[in-house]
Amino acid sequence: MQVLHKDSLHRGGFAGLKETRLVVDDKIGGRNDTWNGLGNFIYLADARFSPKGETGMHPHQELDVISVMLEGRIEHKGSMENGKSMHANQVQAQRAGGEGFVHNEINPDDVENRMLQLWVLPEKSGEPASYSFFDLKRDEMVRVYGGNKSQQGTLDSQTIIEIGLISKNQNITHEGEFIAYVTGGEAIVNGVEVKDGDLIRDDKLDFTALSNEVHLSLIYLNKAS
C-alpha cells in the first residue's frame, strides 16, 4: 500500500484560495512530489477558501470537474447553474464538454471553508455541457461520477468516484485497484492507521473508521454500473 501525506507537500493556491495538489497526472504536467491518477482521473486538490474568497471567473473545456464540500459553503456563479449554492457534505459534478463553461466559486462566509476538487478527462470529446448534484449519506458510498451511458444519475465514464461519510467502527471494502482520500478523522486501511489528508493507493481496500465521521473519497475503474 502506498500513502501520500498532504502535509508533506507544498501548499500553493491562487486568488482567494490555498490548496494542496496531491494528484497531478503526467497528462497535465505532473510533478515529482504528486501522484499520477487512475484511468481518466487526473487531478485532486484539497483547498480552503479565504473568508469571502473566490477563484474569479475562469473557463473549463473538455474536462469533468467534481467538487466536494467538506466544510462551510460555496456559491457557484457562471454559465451553468448560475446561483447554485453548496454546503458541507454536498457534491457537484460538471461536464464542460466541447461547448465549455465559465464559472466563479465564492465563499460567502466570514470563515474559511474546505473543498476537494477532482478532475477527470471525458472519454468522448464534443459532449454537451451538463451538471449533476448530490447529497452525501451517512455510512453509504454515494456514486457521484461514472457509469454507463444508459443510466441518468451520473456523468458517464469508466472511471468511478464514490464519496462516503463513514461512522466509527463502520467498514468499507473494495476489490481491485483504487485511489482513496481520507479527510475529517482517522481510520484503519489495510491494517495501517491513516488520518485526515492521507491519499492511498492499493489493489484492494479494507477501511474501518476510527473517528465519529470520516470522509472517504474512492476512485476506481470498471466496476459494474
Side-chain angles (χ1 to χ4, degrees), residues 4-189:
L4 179 63
H5 305 287
K6 175 172 70 75
D7 292 343
S8 70
L9 300 173
H10 170 72
R11 191 153 180 85
F14 63 96
L17 79 159
K18 299 291 186 182
E19 65 179 2
T20 303
R21 299 175 179 180
L22 293 101
V23 173
V24 183
D25 197 277
D26 287 344
K27 299 182 185 75
I28 54 171
R31 306 189 305 263
N32 290 335
D33 57 345
T34 58
W35 280 3
N36 281 331
L38 180 64
N40 280 13
F41 164 58
I42 58 169
Y43 180 89
L44 184 148
D46 188 330
R48 287 189 180 272
F49 285 69
S50 304
K52 303 295 186 181
E54 57 186 89
T55 62
M57 199 68 73
H58 60 282
H60 292 289
Q61 191 168 21
E62 298 295 8
L63 186 69
D64 295 342
V65 180
I66 299 91
S67 303
V68 184
M69 285 306 302
L70 300 176
E71 302 170 15
R73 298 187 297 156
I74 278 288
E75 291 182 352
H76 176 80
K77 305 291 186 183
S79 59
M80 188 164 57
E81 295 293 325
N82 184 60
K84 186 79 172 180
S85 63
M86 183 169 57
H87 60 69
N89 300 330
Q90 293 182 321
V91 180
Q92 68 180 11
Q94 301 172 87
R95 171 159 287 168
E99 62 187 286
F101 67 82
V102 294
H103 70 158
N104 182 15
E105 294 160 311
I106 303 161
N107 178 5
D109 298 318
D110 293 323
V111 295
E112 283 189 337
N113 63 13
R114 186 180 182 188
M115 183 180 77
L116 302 183
Q117 188 156 107
L118 303 91
W119 293 353
V120 186
L121 295 174
E123 292 168 356
K124 181 181 177 182
S125 61
E127 294 280 88
S130 58
Y131 181 95
S132 52
F133 190 86
F134 306 89
D135 289 296
L136 300 182
K137 301 175 183 178
R138 184 176 289 274
D139 298 328
E140 180 179 335
M141 297 301 293
V142 176
R143 181 177 294 190
V144 299
Y145 180 85
N148 293 331
K149 277 189 172 293
S150 59
Q151 55 81 42
Q152 301 297 317
T154 58
L155 300 176
D156 62 284
S157 177
Q158 293 302 306
T159 303
I160 308 296
I161 300 175
E162 295 180 351
I163 312 290
L165 302 171
I166 311 304
S167 302
K168 186 175 182 178
N169 297 325
Q170 294 298 305
N171 179 251
I172 300 293
T173 61
H174 170 78
E175 292 293 331
E177 186 179 7
F178 72 90
I179 292 176
Y181 191 55
V182 174
T183 55
E186 298 177 343
I188 297 292
V189 174

